Amino acid sequence: MLALAPALLCAASKPDVHEIIARSVQANQEDWKQAPAYSFLERDADSKHGSAKTIKTFQVFMIDGSPYNKLVAQNDQPLSATMLAEEDRKLQREIVHRRGESARDRKHRVAKYERERNQDHAMLNEMTKGFEYQVTGETTLDGHIVWVLKATPKPGYVAPNNETKMLTGMRGTLWVDQATYQWVKVEAEVFRTVSILAFFAKVGPGTRFELEQEAVNDNLWLPKRLRVNVNATALGFLNESSTEDDSFRNYRLMPQALAEAEAEGKQ
């Protein structure tokens, strides 16, 4: 029995990968529910078809059920006083418009936003269903002690829609905070070509996704950075490749953030 003690202790201390994934999914779901209650700054650096990057920074507000992006900087330079005043007027007009729209128009607007939001969330959720996970170690990342999980495609997995078909040709890594089960970082890459719209579009090796998150408060983590590099073709020859590097900061609760913006715009 004494000879078995070290082995039993090792087995007891080994993390349960299924529990890690289940609890991390639960934490992610709670974050997703709370996210619309916050305003934040979003910096987008995007490029399509190999063109030069366009860099824009927005203050994102949630107004009556869907977001509104107020431009506050271009190419990392603040807007001129004239341009900023115009953006303030646009925000005021949008607030008035949304508060006065019909129930039908509001329902249509909110439904469109929720469809897009659900699609984005579905990709992250399907990562937990379409992969098999293995705990490969522990490390410290951004001040958090994390488990490192390697993800490989699950045999027999069938993607529920075109947006998640890429998962069948991807592999990835998750860094999960041991204290909160939050995703500190997620990386995924395409290792074989995947057709996402029959023969119309193909996503090939070189496509990568990287998400970093941070704690906004004790119970909520939200995105800090999202990097996407898509290597894709349409109809077999049209270049549909793109890069996206978005960062997020200054999370603040609504509606106080909107009330302050309204007051500034009226000065």
Side-chain angles (χ1 to χ4, degrees), residues 67-145:
Y68 176 82
N69 292 359
K70 175 190 172 184
L71 183 67
V72 296
Q74 294 189 98
N75 297 319
D76 294 327
Q77 297 299 314
L79 298 183
S80 67
T82 300
M83 293 180 66
L84 185 58
E86 177 57 26
E87 291 300 319
D88 284 335
R89 286 191 289 270
K90 289 180 182 178
L91 173 61
Q92 301 301 324
R93 288 196 295 268
E94 187 65 20
I95 292 171
V96 172
H97 169 73
R98 293 191 184 188
R99 289 176 178 171
E101 68 187 345
S102 67
R104 178 182 177 183
D105 288 344
R106 183 184 187 279
K107 182 178 179 180
H108 178 77
R109 170 175 55 81
V110 173
K112 180 177 182 295
Y113 159 67
E114 290 182 345
R115 280 196 303 271
E116 294 170 352
R117 185 168 184 257
N118 288 337
Q119 288 173 356
D120 293 340
H121 188 57
M123 176 65 81
L124 293 179
N125 274 343
E126 285 300 314
M127 285 182 61
T128 64
K129 301 174 185 177
F131 291 129
E132 292 183 334
Y133 292 90
Q134 178 185 6
V135 179
T136 61
E138 299 180 5
T139 189
T140 300
L141 182 63
D142 292 343
H144 302 279
I145 301 174

Coordinates of all heavy atoms in Angstrom, one line a residue, residues 67-145:
P67 N -25.3 48.2 -30.1 CA -24.1 49.1 -30.0 C -24.1 50.3 -31.0 O -24.7 50.2 -32.1 CB -22.9 48.2 -30.1 CG -23.4 47.1 -31.0 CD -24.8 46.9 -30.7
Y68 N -23.5 51.3 -30.6 CA -23.2 52.5 -31.5 C -21.7 52.8 -31.3 O -21.2 53.0 -30.2 CB -24.0 53.7 -31.2 CG -23.7 54.9 -32.0 CD1 -24.2 55.0 -33.3 CD2 -22.8 55.8 -31.6 CE1 -23.9 56.1 -34.1 CE2 -22.5 57.0 -32.4 CZ -23.0 57.0 -33.6 OH -22.7 58.1 -34.4
N69 N -21.0 52.9 -32.4 CA -19.6 53.2 -32.4 C -19.3 54.7 -32.7 O -19.6 55.2 -33.9 CB -18.8 52.4 -33.4 CG -18.8 50.9 -33.1 OD1 -19.3 50.5 -32.0 ND2 -18.2 50.1 -33.9
K70 N -18.8 55.4 -31.8 CA -18.5 56.8 -32.0 C -17.0 56.9 -32.3 O -16.1 56.6 -31.5 CB -18.8 57.6 -30.7 CG -18.3 59.1 -30.8 CD -18.5 59.8 -29.5 CE -17.9 61.2 -29.5 NZ -17.9 61.9 -28.2
L71 N -16.6 57.4 -33.4 CA -15.2 57.6 -33.8 C -14.6 58.6 -33.0 O -15.1 59.7 -32.8 CB -15.2 58.0 -35.3 CG -13.7 58.1 -35.9 CD1 -13.1 56.7 -36.0 CD2 -13.8 58.7 -37.3
V72 N -13.4 58.2 -32.4 CA -12.7 59.2 -31.5 C -11.2 59.4 -32.0 O -10.6 60.4 -31.6 CB -12.7 58.8 -30.1 CG1 -14.1 58.8 -29.5 CG2 -12.0 57.4 -29.9
A73 N -10.7 58.5 -32.9 CA -9.3 58.7 -33.4 C -9.1 58.0 -34.7 O -9.8 57.0 -34.9 CB -8.3 58.2 -32.3
Q74 N -8.2 58.5 -35.5 CA -7.8 57.8 -36.8 C -6.3 57.7 -36.8 O -5.6 58.7 -36.6 CB -8.4 58.6 -38.0 CG -9.9 58.5 -38.1 CD -10.4 59.1 -39.4 OE1 -10.7 58.4 -40.3 NE2 -10.5 60.4 -39.5
N75 N -5.8 56.5 -37.2 CA -4.4 56.3 -37.3 C -3.7 56.7 -36.0 O -2.6 57.3 -36.0 CB -3.8 57.0 -38.5 CG -4.3 56.5 -39.8 OD1 -4.5 55.3 -40.0 ND2 -4.6 57.4 -40.7
D76 N -4.4 56.4 -34.9 CA -3.9 56.7 -33.5 C -3.7 58.2 -33.2 O -2.9 58.6 -32.3 CB -2.6 56.0 -33.3 CG -2.8 54.4 -33.3 OD1 -3.8 54.0 -32.8 OD2 -1.8 53.7 -33.7
Q77 N -4.4 59.0 -34.0 CA -4.3 60.5 -33.8 C -5.7 60.9 -33.4 O -6.7 60.6 -34.0 CB -3.8 61.2 -35.0 CG -2.4 60.9 -35.4 CD -1.4 61.2 -34.3 OE1 -1.5 62.3 -33.8 NE2 -0.5 60.3 -34.1
P78 N -5.9 61.8 -32.3 CA -7.2 62.3 -31.9 C -7.8 63.1 -33.1 O -7.1 63.7 -33.9 CB -6.9 63.2 -30.7 CG -5.6 62.7 -30.2 CD -4.8 62.3 -31.4
L79 N -9.1 63.0 -33.1 CA -9.8 63.8 -34.1 C -9.7 65.3 -33.9 O -9.5 65.7 -32.7 CB -11.3 63.5 -34.1 CG -11.7 62.0 -34.4 CD1 -13.3 61.9 -34.4 CD2 -11.2 61.6 -35.8
S80 N -9.8 66.1 -34.9 CA -9.7 67.5 -34.8 C -11.0 68.0 -34.0 O -12.0 67.2 -33.9 CB -9.7 68.2 -36.1 OG -10.9 68.0 -36.8
A81 N -11.0 69.2 -33.5 CA -12.1 69.7 -32.7 C -13.4 69.7 -33.6 O -14.5 69.4 -33.1 CB -11.8 71.1 -32.2
T82 N -13.2 70.0 -34.9 CA -14.4 70.1 -35.8 C -14.9 68.7 -36.0 O -16.2 68.5 -36.0 CB -13.9 70.7 -37.1 OG1 -13.5 72.0 -36.9 CG2 -15.1 70.7 -38.1
M83 N -14.0 67.7 -36.3 CA -14.5 66.3 -36.5 C -15.1 65.7 -35.2 O -16.1 65.0 -35.3 CB -13.3 65.5 -37.0 CG -12.8 65.8 -38.4 SD -11.4 64.7 -38.9 CE -12.3 63.2 -39.0
L84 N -14.5 66.0 -34.1 CA -15.1 65.5 -32.8 C -16.4 66.0 -32.6 O -17.3 65.3 -32.1 CB -14.1 65.8 -31.7 CG -14.5 65.2 -30.3 CD1 -14.6 63.7 -30.4 CD2 -13.5 65.6 -29.3
A85 N -16.6 67.3 -32.8 CA -17.9 68.0 -32.7 C -19.0 67.3 -33.5 O -20.1 67.1 -33.1 CB -17.9 69.5 -32.9
E86 N -18.6 67.0 -34.8 CA -19.5 66.3 -35.7 C -19.9 64.9 -35.2 O -21.0 64.5 -35.3 CB -18.9 66.2 -37.1 CG -19.7 65.5 -38.1 CD -21.1 66.0 -38.3 OE1 -21.3 67.3 -38.0 OE2 -22.1 65.3 -38.7
E87 N -18.9 64.2 -34.6 CA -19.1 62.9 -34.1 C -20.1 63.0 -32.9 O -20.9 62.1 -32.7 CB -17.8 62.2 -33.7 CG -17.0 61.8 -34.9 CD -17.7 60.8 -35.8 OE1 -18.4 59.9 -35.3 OE2 -17.5 61.0 -37.1
D88 N -19.9 64.0 -32.1 CA -20.8 64.2 -31.0 C -22.3 64.5 -31.5 O -23.2 64.0 -30.9 CB -20.4 65.5 -30.1 CG -19.2 65.2 -29.3 OD1 -19.0 64.0 -28.9 OD2 -18.4 66.1 -28.9
R89 N -22.4 65.2 -32.5 CA -23.7 65.5 -33.1 C -24.3 64.2 -33.6 O -25.6 63.9 -33.5 CB -23.7 66.6 -34.2 CG -23.4 68.0 -33.7 CD -23.6 69.0 -34.8 NE -22.5 69.0 -35.7 CZ -21.4 69.7 -35.6 NH1 -21.3 70.5 -34.6 NH2 -20.5 69.6 -36.6
K90 N -23.5 63.4 -34.3 CA -24.0 62.1 -34.8 C -24.5 61.2 -33.7 O -25.6 60.6 -33.8 CB -22.9 61.3 -35.5 CG -22.5 61.9 -36.9 CD -21.4 61.1 -37.5 CE -20.9 61.7 -38.8 NZ -19.8 60.9 -39.4
L91 N -23.8 61.2 -32.6 CA -24.2 60.4 -31.4 C -25.6 60.9 -30.9 O -26.5 60.1 -30.6 CB -23.2 60.5 -30.3 CG -23.5 59.8 -29.0 CD1 -23.8 58.3 -29.2 CD2 -22.4 60.0 -27.9
Q92 N -25.7 62.2 -30.7 CA -26.9 62.8 -30.2 C -28.1 62.5 -31.1 O -29.2 62.1 -30.6 CB -26.8 64.3 -30.1 CG -25.7 64.8 -29.1 CD -25.8 64.3 -27.7 OE1 -26.9 64.2 -27.2 NE2 -24.7 64.0 -27.1
R93 N -27.9 62.6 -32.4 CA -29.0 62.3 -33.4 C -29.4 60.8 -33.3 O -30.5 60.5 -33.4 CB -28.5 62.6 -34.8 CG -28.4 64.1 -35.1 CD -28.4 64.3 -36.6 NE -27.2 63.8 -37.2 CZ -26.1 64.5 -37.4 NH1 -26.0 65.8 -37.0 NH2 -25.0 64.0 -38.0
E94 N -28.4 59.9 -33.1 CA -28.7 58.5 -33.0 C -29.5 58.2 -31.7 O -30.4 57.3 -31.8 CB -27.4 57.7 -33.1 CG -27.6 56.2 -33.1 CD -28.3 55.7 -34.4 OE1 -28.3 56.5 -35.4 OE2 -28.8 54.6 -34.4
I95 N -29.1 58.8 -30.6 CA -29.8 58.6 -29.4 C -31.3 59.0 -29.6 O -32.2 58.3 -29.2 CB -29.2 59.4 -28.2 CG1 -27.8 58.8 -27.9 CG2 -30.1 59.4 -27.0 CD1 -27.0 59.7 -27.0
V96 N -31.5 60.2 -30.1 CA -32.9 60.7 -30.4 C -33.6 59.7 -31.3 O -34.8 59.4 -31.1 CB -32.9 62.1 -30.9 CG1 -34.3 62.5 -31.4 CG2 -32.3 63.1 -29.9
H97 N -33.0 59.3 -32.4 CA -33.6 58.4 -33.3 C -34.0 57.1 -32.7 O -35.2 56.6 -32.9 CB -32.6 58.1 -34.5 CG -33.1 57.0 -35.4 ND1 -34.1 57.2 -36.3 CD2 -32.6 55.7 -35.5 CE1 -34.3 56.0 -36.9 NE2 -33.4 55.1 -36.5
R98 N -33.1 56.5 -31.9 CA -33.5 55.2 -31.4 C -34.5 55.3 -30.3 O -35.4 54.4 -30.2 CB -32.2 54.5 -30.8 CG -31.2 54.1 -31.8 CD -30.0 53.3 -31.2 NE -29.0 53.0 -32.3 CZ -28.0 52.2 -32.1 NH1 -27.9 51.5 -30.9 NH2 -27.1 52.0 -33.0
R99 N -34.5 56.3 -29.6 CA -35.6 56.5 -28.5 C -36.9 56.8 -29.1 O -38.0 56.6 -28.5 CB -35.1 57.6 -27.6 CG -34.0 57.2 -26.7 CD -33.5 58.3 -25.8 NE -32.4 57.8 -24.9 CZ -31.6 58.6 -24.1 NH1 -31.9 59.9 -24.1 NH2 -30.7 58.1 -23.4
G100 N -37.0 57.2 -30.4 CA -38.2 57.5 -31.0 C -38.7 56.6 -32.0 O -39.7 56.7 -32.7
E101 N -37.9 55.5 -32.3 CA -38.3 54.6 -33.3 C -39.4 53.7 -33.0 O -39.7 53.5 -31.8 CB -37.1 53.7 -33.7 CG -36.6 52.7 -32.7 CD -35.3 52.0 -33.0 OE1 -34.9 52.1 -34.2 OE2 -34.7 51.4 -32.2
S102 N -40.1 53.1 -33.9 CA -41.2 52.2 -33.7 C -40.8 50.9 -33.1 O -39.6 50.5 -33.2 CB -42.0 52.0 -35.0 OG -41.2 51.2 -35.8
A103 N -41.7 50.2 -32.4 CA -41.4 48.9 -31.8 C -40.9 47.9 -32.9 O -40.0 47.2 -32.6 CB -42.6 48.4 -31.1
R104 N -41.5 48.0 -34.1 CA -41.1 47.1 -35.2 C -39.6 47.4 -35.6 O -38.8 46.5 -35.8 CB -42.0 47.3 -36.4 CG -41.6 46.4 -37.6 CD -42.6 46.7 -38.7 NE -42.2 45.9 -39.9 CZ -42.8 46.0 -41.1 NH1 -43.8 46.8 -41.2 NH2 -42.4 45.2 -42.1
D105 N -39.3 48.7 -35.8 CA -37.9 49.0 -36.2 C -36.9 48.6 -35.1 O -35.8 48.2 -35.4 CB -37.8 50.5 -36.5 CG -38.5 50.9 -37.8 OD1 -38.8 50.0 -38.6 OD2 -38.8 52.1 -38.0
R106 N -37.3 48.9 -33.9 CA -36.4 48.5 -32.8 C -36.1 47.0 -32.7 O -35.0 46.6 -32.6 CB -36.9 49.0 -31.4 CG -36.0 48.7 -30.3 CD -36.5 49.1 -28.9 NE -35.6 49.0 -27.9 CZ -35.2 47.8 -27.3 NH1 -35.9 46.7 -27.6 NH2 -34.3 47.8 -26.3
K107 N -37.2 46.3 -32.9 CA -37.1 44.8 -32.9 C -36.2 44.3 -34.0 O -35.3 43.4 -33.8 CB -38.5 44.2 -33.0 CG -38.4 42.7 -32.9 CD -39.9 42.1 -33.1 CE -39.8 40.6 -33.0 NZ -41.2 40.0 -33.1
H108 N -36.3 44.9 -35.2 CA -35.4 44.5 -36.3 C -34.0 44.9 -36.0 O -33.1 44.1 -36.3 CB -35.9 45.2 -37.6 CG -35.1 44.9 -38.8 ND1 -35.2 43.8 -39.5 CD2 -34.2 45.7 -39.4 CE1 -34.4 43.8 -40.5 NE2 -33.7 44.9 -40.5
R109 N -33.7 46.1 -35.5 CA -32.4 46.5 -35.2 C -31.7 45.6 -34.2 O -30.6 45.2 -34.4 CB -32.4 47.9 -34.7 CG -31.0 48.4 -34.2 CD -31.0 49.9 -33.9 NE -32.1 50.3 -32.9 CZ -32.0 50.1 -31.6 NH1 -30.9 49.6 -31.1 NH2 -33.0 50.5 -30.8
V110 N -32.4 45.3 -33.1 CA -31.8 44.5 -32.0 C -31.6 43.1 -32.5 O -30.6 42.5 -32.1 CB -32.7 44.6 -30.8 CG1 -32.3 43.6 -29.7 CG2 -32.8 46.0 -30.2
A111 N -32.5 42.6 -33.3 CA -32.4 41.2 -33.7 C -31.2 41.0 -34.6 O -30.5 40.0 -34.5 CB -33.7 40.8 -34.5
K112 N -30.9 42.0 -35.5 CA -29.7 42.0 -36.3 C -28.5 41.9 -35.5 O -27.6 41.1 -35.8 CB -29.7 43.2 -37.3 CG -28.5 43.2 -38.2 CD -28.7 44.4 -39.1 CE -27.5 44.4 -40.2 NZ -26.2 44.6 -39.5
Y113 N -28.4 42.7 -34.5 CA -27.2 42.8 -33.6 C -27.1 41.4 -32.9 O -26.0 40.9 -32.8 CB -27.4 43.9 -32.6 CG -26.5 43.7 -31.4 CD1 -25.1 43.8 -31.4 CD2 -27.1 43.5 -30.1 CE1 -24.4 43.6 -30.3 CE2 -26.4 43.4 -29.0 CZ -25.0 43.4 -29.1 OH -24.2 43.2 -27.9
E114 N -28.2 40.9 -32.4 CA -28.1 39.7 -31.6 C -27.7 38.5 -32.5 O -27.0 37.6 -32.0 CB -29.4 39.4 -30.9 CG -29.7 40.4 -29.8 CD -31.0 40.1 -29.0 OE1 -31.8 39.3 -29.6 OE2 -31.2 40.6 -27.9
R115 N -28.1 38.5 -33.8 CA -27.7 37.4 -34.7 C -26.2 37.4 -34.8 O -25.5 36.4 -34.8 CB -28.4 37.6 -36.0 CG -29.8 37.1 -36.1 CD -30.3 36.9 -37.5 NE -30.2 38.1 -38.3 CZ -31.1 39.0 -38.4 NH1 -32.3 38.8 -37.7 NH2 -31.0 40.1 -39.1
E116 N -25.6 38.6 -35.1 CA -24.2 38.8 -35.3 C -23.4 38.4 -34.0 O -22.4 37.7 -34.0 CB -23.9 40.2 -35.7 CG -24.4 40.6 -37.0 CD -24.3 42.1 -37.3 OE1 -23.9 42.8 -36.4 OE2 -24.6 42.5 -38.5
R117 N -24.0 38.8 -32.8 CA -23.3 38.5 -31.6 C -23.3 37.0 -31.3 O -22.3 36.4 -30.8 CB -24.0 39.3 -30.5 CG -23.3 39.1 -29.1 CD -23.9 40.2 -28.1 NE -23.2 40.1 -26.8 CZ -23.7 39.5 -25.8 NH1 -24.9 39.0 -25.8 NH2 -23.0 39.4 -24.6
N118 N -24.4 36.4 -31.6 CA -24.6 34.9 -31.4 C -23.6 34.2 -32.3 O -23.1 33.1 -31.9 CB -26.0 34.5 -31.6 CG -26.9 34.9 -30.5 OD1 -26.5 35.2 -29.4 ND2 -28.2 35.0 -30.8
Q119 N -23.4 34.6 -33.5 CA -22.5 34.0 -34.4 C -21.0 34.0 -33.9 O -20.3 33.0 -33.9 CB -22.5 34.6 -35.8 CG -23.8 34.3 -36.6 CD -23.9 35.1 -37.9 OE1 -23.1 35.9 -38.2 NE2 -25.0 34.8 -38.6
D120 N -20.7 35.2 -33.4 CA -19.3 35.3 -32.8 C -19.1 34.4 -31.6 O -18.1 33.8 -31.4 CB -19.1 36.8 -32.4 CG -19.0 37.7 -33.6 OD1 -18.7 37.2 -34.7 OD2 -19.1 38.9 -33.4
H121 N -20.2 34.4 -30.8 CA -20.1 33.5 -29.5 C -20.1 32.1 -29.9 O -19.5 31.3 -29.2 CB -21.3 33.9 -28.6 CG -21.2 33.3 -27.3 ND1 -20.1 33.5 -26.4 CD2 -22.1 32.4 -26.6 CE1 -20.4 32.8 -25.3 NE2 -21.5 32.2 -25.4
A122 N -20.8 31.7 -31.0 CA -20.9 30.3 -31.3 C -19.6 29.7 -31.7 O -19.3 28.5 -31.3 CB -21.9 30.1 -32.5
M123 N -18.7 30.5 -32.3 CA -17.3 30.0 -32.6 C -16.6 29.6 -31.4 O -16.0 28.5 -31.3 CB -16.6 31.0 -33.4 CG -15.1 30.6 -33.7 SD -15.0 29.2 -34.9 CE -15.3 30.1 -36.4
L124 N -16.6 30.4 -30.4 CA -15.9 30.1 -29.1 C -16.5 28.9 -28.4 O -15.8 28.0 -27.9 CB -15.9 31.3 -28.2 CG -15.1 32.5 -28.6 CD1 -15.2 33.7 -27.6 CD2 -13.7 32.2 -28.8
N125 N -17.9 28.8 -28.4 CA -18.5 27.7 -27.8 C -18.2 26.4 -28.5 O -18.0 25.4 -27.9 CB -20.1 27.9 -27.7 CG -20.5 28.7 -26.5 OD1 -19.7 28.9 -25.6 ND2 -21.7 29.3 -26.6
E126 N -18.2 26.4 -29.8 CA -18.0 25.2 -30.6 C -16.6 24.7 -30.4 O -16.3 23.6 -30.6 CB -18.3 25.5 -32.1 CG -19.8 25.5 -32.4 CD -20.5 24.2 -32.1 OE1 -20.0 23.1 -32.4 OE2 -21.6 24.3 -31.5
M127 N -15.7 25.6 -30.1 CA -14.3 25.2 -29.8 C -14.3 24.1 -28.7 O -13.4 23.2 -28.7 CB -13.4 26.4 -29.4 CG -13.0 27.2 -30.6 SD -11.9 28.6 -30.0 CE -10.5 27.7 -29.4
T128 N -15.2 24.3 -27.7 CA -15.2 23.3 -26.6 C -15.9 22.0 -27.0 O -15.7 21.0 -26.4 CB -16.0 23.9 -25.4 OG1 -17.3 24.1 -25.8 CG2 -15.3 25.2 -25.0
K129 N -16.6 22.0 -28.1 CA -17.3 20.8 -28.6 C -16.6 20.1 -29.7 O -16.6 18.9 -29.8 CB -18.7 21.2 -29.1 CG -19.6 21.9 -28.0 CD -20.9 22.3 -28.7 CE -21.8 23.1 -27.7 NZ -23.0 23.6 -28.4
G130 N -15.9 20.9 -30.5 CA -15.3 20.3 -31.7 C -13.8 19.8 -31.5 O -13.2 19.3 -32.4
F131 N -13.3 20.0 -30.3 CA -11.9 19.6 -30.0 C -11.8 18.6 -28.9 O -12.7 18.6 -28.0 CB -11.1 20.8 -29.6 CG -10.8 21.8 -30.7 CD1 -11.1 23.2 -30.6 CD2 -10.3 21.4 -32.0 CE1 -10.9 24.1 -31.6 CE2 -10.1 22.3 -33.0 CZ -10.4 23.6 -32.8
E132 N -10.8 17.8 -28.9 CA -10.4 17.1 -27.7 C -9.2 17.8 -27.0 O -8.3 18.3 -27.7 CB -9.9 15.6 -28.1 CG -11.1 14.8 -28.7 CD -10.6 13.4 -29.0 OE1 -9.4 13.2 -29.3 OE2 -11.5 12.5 -29.0
Y133 N -9.2 17.8 -25.7 CA -8.3 18.6 -24.9 C -7.4 17.7 -24.1 O -7.8 16.7 -23.6 CB -9.0 19.6 -24.0 CG -9.7 20.7 -24.8 CD1 -11.0 20.5 -25.2 CD2 -9.1 21.9 -25.2 CE1 -11.7 21.5 -26.0 CE2 -9.7 22.8 -25.9 CZ -11.0 22.7 -26.3 OH -11.7 23.6 -27.0
Q134 N -6.2 18.2 -23.9 CA -5.2 17.6 -23.1 C -4.4 18.6 -22.3 O -3.9 19.6 -22.9 CB -4.2 16.8 -23.9 CG -3.1 16.1 -23.1 CD -2.1 15.4 -24.0 OE1 -2.1 15.5 -25.2 NE2 -1.2 14.6 -23.4
V135 N -4.4 18.5 -21.0 CA -3.6 19.4 -20.1 C -2.1 19.0 -20.3 O -1.7 17.9 -20.0 CB -4.0 19.3 -18.7 CG1 -3.1 20.2 -17.8 CG2 -5.4 19.6 -18.5
T136 N -1.3 20.0 -20.8 CA 0.1 19.7 -21.1 C 1.0 20.4 -20.1 O 2.2 20.2 -20.2 CB 0.4 20.2 -22.6 OG1 0.2 21.6 -22.7 CG2 -0.4 19.5 -23.6
G137 N 0.5 21.2 -19.2 CA 1.4 21.8 -18.2 C 0.7 23.0 -17.5 O -0.5 23.2 -17.7
E138 N 1.5 23.7 -16.7 CA 1.1 24.9 -16.0 C 2.1 25.9 -16.3 O 3.3 25.7 -16.5 CB 0.9 24.6 -14.5 CG -0.1 23.5 -14.2 CD -0.2 23.3 -12.7 OE1 0.5 24.0 -11.9 OE2 -1.0 22.4 -12.3
T139 N 1.7 27.2 -16.2 CA 2.6 28.3 -16.4 C 2.0 29.6 -15.8 O 0.9 29.5 -15.3 CB 3.0 28.6 -17.8 OG1 4.1 29.5 -17.9 CG2 1.8 29.1 -18.6
T140 N 2.7 30.7 -15.8 CA 2.1 32.0 -15.4 C 2.0 32.9 -16.6 O 2.9 33.0 -17.4 CB 3.0 32.6 -14.4 OG1 3.2 31.8 -13.2 CG2 2.5 34.0 -13.9
L141 N 0.8 33.4 -16.8 CA 0.5 34.3 -17.9 C -0.2 35.5 -17.4 O -1.2 35.4 -16.8 CB -0.3 33.6 -19.0 CG -0.6 34.3 -20.3 CD1 0.6 34.6 -21.0 CD2 -1.6 33.5 -21.1
D142 N 0.3 36.7 -17.7 CA -0.3 38.0 -17.3 C -0.5 38.0 -15.8 O -1.6 38.5 -15.4 CB -1.5 38.3 -18.1 CG -1.3 38.6 -19.6 OD1 -0.1 38.9 -19.9 OD2 -2.2 38.5 -20.4
G143 N 0.3 37.4 -15.0 CA 0.2 37.4 -13.6 C -0.8 36.3 -13.1 O -1.0 36.2 -11.9
H144 N -1.3 35.4 -13.9 CA -2.2 34.4 -13.5 C -1.6 33.0 -13.7 O -0.9 32.7 -14.7 CB -3.5 34.4 -14.4 CG -4.2 35.7 -14.3 ND1 -5.1 36.1 -13.3 CD2 -4.2 36.8 -15.2 CE1 -5.5 37.3 -13.5 NE2 -5.0 37.8 -14.7
I145 N -1.8 32.2 -12.7 CA -1.3 30.8 -12.8 C -2.4 30.0 -13.6 O -3.6 30.0 -13.3 CB -1.2 30.1 -11.4 CG1 -0.2 30.9 -10.6 CG2 -0.8 28.7 -11.6 CD1 -0.1 30.4 -9.1

